[in-house]
Amino acid sequence: MSRVGILGGGQLARMMALAGAPLGARFRILDSAADACAGEVAPLTRADFTDLEALGRFAEGVDVVTFDFENVPAESAHWLSKRLPVFPSPHALAVSQDRLAEKNTFVELGIGTPLFAAVSSRAELDAAADAVGLPAVLKTRRLGYDGKGQARLHSRDDLDGAWQALGPGELILESFVPFDAEVSVIAVRSREGQFRAWPLTRNWHADGILSLSLAPWSLGALDAQALAAARRVAERLDYVGTFALELFVCQGRLLANEMAPRVHNSGHWSIEGAVCSQFENHVRAVLGLPLGDTGMRCHSAAMLNWVGQMPDRASALRASDVHWHDYGKEARPLRKLGHATVCAASDAEMIERLCGLGQRLDRAAQCAPLIEALRARLNSPS
């Protein structure tokens, strides 16, 4: 029996444990929250990630450690790595935690990015605005996610307010990208260096939080570039496990937004839509097992995020090929509470199913961007 420790007890750890159980893996969770939802499916140790005594006891009960979100202190991961295997590595975690280090890594690998500049003072913000140009987005270099820790700058009149909201501290200014689409590469790399990726996924956000994903979404000649970029990142970081590379599509170019050193929201569709899900393959990778097939089980799979409030479960499950995931979390605004996956045998069938689901759940507005994109794809001459 393999024993996996997970730092972080959110829905990603929960789904990881559910996917790994059939492989014979057993899981232990460490989180500072008593109500961490992964604690419903695996034993939960409540402790701060910096509590070395608790980390030591946690390490004694597992064979390998991984994590379910990127804000686990890299120092804690490094401390654990001296005692047992930790995947992904503390180095990969540290790079992904700092937006400046992450962007510099992309540049070193020849991967396009928006223009960016480091900001650590009000004077540097003025200089960065001149160098990067406006509009732009000011971000904290650390701890931001789902649109948090960011401020949009439309003109120089916005600089004071943004600095007051986010400064002082280590920030990064990035040029605003008028993208045509947002896509992600969900990929996995084994301990031996084997690399596999799921079909490219297109994503739509609302209020800075992922709302919809659809796979596969081909960008033609850009598909190979996206996969090659993800492979270069994985090899540079000697990465082990599942990760996501988020990309903007802008005027026929790919620009890297960020990477997530973990299983990713935009890959949730893979639970039902792929031969081997991102969660199972992450467990396989960290345990040193052979990787599973990342191909599609169906023509297409869509994921709808439930944020702030769960829709009616019974209404959703009356539809064909709809798969329901409730994370067992208390509802509150802007909190990810669950998702549904819709599988279909054609774009036309996916449109029909999403239209019906949107009407039954009063989520027609949420489904609309995905439906519009599918209709455009159906009407495309290619």
Side-chain angles (χ1 to χ4, degrees), residues 2-30 36-44 66-68 263 271 277-284 286-287:
S2 302
R3 303 170 301 169
V4 181
I6 306 177
L7 301 179
Q11 65 268 17
L12 301 181
R14 179 190 180 102
M15 288 184 275
M16 206 183 301
L18 292 171
L23 297 176
R26 297 296 178 262
F27 295 81
R28 291 184 62 184
I29 312 296
L30 187 143
C37 67
E40 296 181 352
V41 300
L44 171 66
T66 187
F67 40 86
D68 87 329
V263 288
I271 298 174
S277 77
Q278 64 164 345
F279 298 99
E280 181 180 335
N281 257 337
H282 184 78
V283 175
R284 288 186 181 213
V286 302
L287 290 177

Side-chain angles (χ1 to χ4, degrees), residues 66 86-89 92 188-193 234 237-242 282 285-288:
T66 187
V86 175
F87 299 116
S89 70
V188 63
R189 186 171 180 268
S190 72
R191 290 193 187 188
E192 292 75 30
L237 298 178
D238 195 18
Y239 195 91
V240 174
T242 297
H282 184 78
V286 302
L287 290 177

Side-chain angles (χ1 to χ4, degrees), residues 111-185:
I111 300 169
T113 70
L115 294 175
F116 64 92
V119 173
S120 57
S121 69
R122 181 63 181 80
E124 286 187 357
L125 178 56
D126 283 324
D130 291 337
V132 170
L134 298 175
V137 183
L138 185 65
K139 302 178 180 181
T140 57
R141 280 172 54 177
R142 299 176 181 273
L143 301 180
Y145 64 97
D146 287 344
K148 299 178 176 68
Q150 302 185 15
R152 181 79 60 86
L153 308 180
H154 300 279
S155 71
R156 299 194 74 87
D157 293 338
D158 298 325
L159 267 61
D160 281 335
W163 177 254
Q164 291 172 10
L166 299 179
E170 295 184 326
L171 308 175
I172 183 172
L173 186 69
E174 300 178 10
S175 63
F176 178 76
V177 179
F179 56 82
D180 303 312
E182 295 176 85
V183 298
S184 57
V185 181

Side-chain angles (χ1 to χ4, degrees), residues 184-267:
S184 57
V185 181
I186 310 298
V188 63
R189 186 171 180 268
S190 72
R191 290 193 187 188
E192 292 75 30
Q194 181 185 19
F195 177 90
R196 289 189 177 181
W198 284 265
L200 208 61
T201 302
R202 183 169 178 183
N203 305 307
W204 291 263
H205 291 74
D207 298 320
I209 301 175
L210 185 66
S211 177
L212 301 160
S213 293
L214 178 73
W217 189 271
S218 177
L219 299 173
L222 294 180
D223 288 2
Q225 293 182 32
L227 295 179
R231 182 189 288 270
R232 291 202 297 275
V233 170
E235 292 177 351
R236 168 61 66 88
L237 298 178
D238 195 18
Y239 195 91
V240 174
T242 297
F243 71 100
L245 178 64
E246 299 180 33
L247 302 162
F248 296 127
V249 184
C250 185
Q251 298 179 346
R253 296 178 59 215
L254 292 176
L255 300 176
N257 178 31
E258 61 185 22
M259 72 164 288
R262 52 172 171 78
V263 288
H264 193 258
N265 202 168
S266 66

Side-chain angles (χ1 to χ4, degrees), residues 35 48 181 187:
D35 63 346
D48 191 272

